[in-house]
Amino acid sequence: AADGHDMSHVLDRLLAELGRAILGQTELLELVTISHLARGHLLLEGLPGLGKTELIKALSKHAPVPVFAASAIRRDYLRVTV
């Protein structure tokens, strides 16, 4: 079992690796990492070219993560823009 120190090290390492792929988005990287570690679902939305795909590629490279990509969101999904 991992103790708090080990988990802190894992979190710091993952954030550092993601930070190499996505610059200047510390809050976004923290939210994505928390969602992943909590085994939650995450919807990334934004204008083209903002790095959403690169972020998911970096996350999947450093932590196993199932990815579902959709170009349109069904109307019955709850969507929150942060």
Side-chain angles (χ1 to χ4, degrees):
D3 65 17
H5 179 71
D6 290 340
M7 288 304 294
S8 177
H9 179 71
V10 168
L11 178 62
D12 290 344
R13 177 80 176 171
L14 183 55
L15 285 171
E17 293 299 330
L18 294 177
R20 293 188 215 307
I22 305 295
L23 303 176
Q25 295 291 328
T26 305
E27 183 179 4
L28 172 63
L29 299 180
E30 289 173 351
L31 292 172
V32 168
T33 302
I34 290 167
S35 176
H36 173 66
L37 293 176
R39 298 177 188 238
H41 296 259
L42 178 67
L43 171 64
L44 294 175
E45 63 178 5
L47 297 172
L50 295 179
K52 298 175 298 293
T53 302
E54 291 304 314
L55 172 58
I56 296 306
K57 285 180 184 178
L59 182 62
S60 65
K61 180 178 177 182
H62 298 288
V65 57
V67 176
F68 172 76
S71 60
I73 301 301
R74 292 179 17 188
R75 292 178 187 218
D76 61 339
Y77 283 22
L78 175 63
R79 182 175 73 192
V80 177
T81 303
V82 177

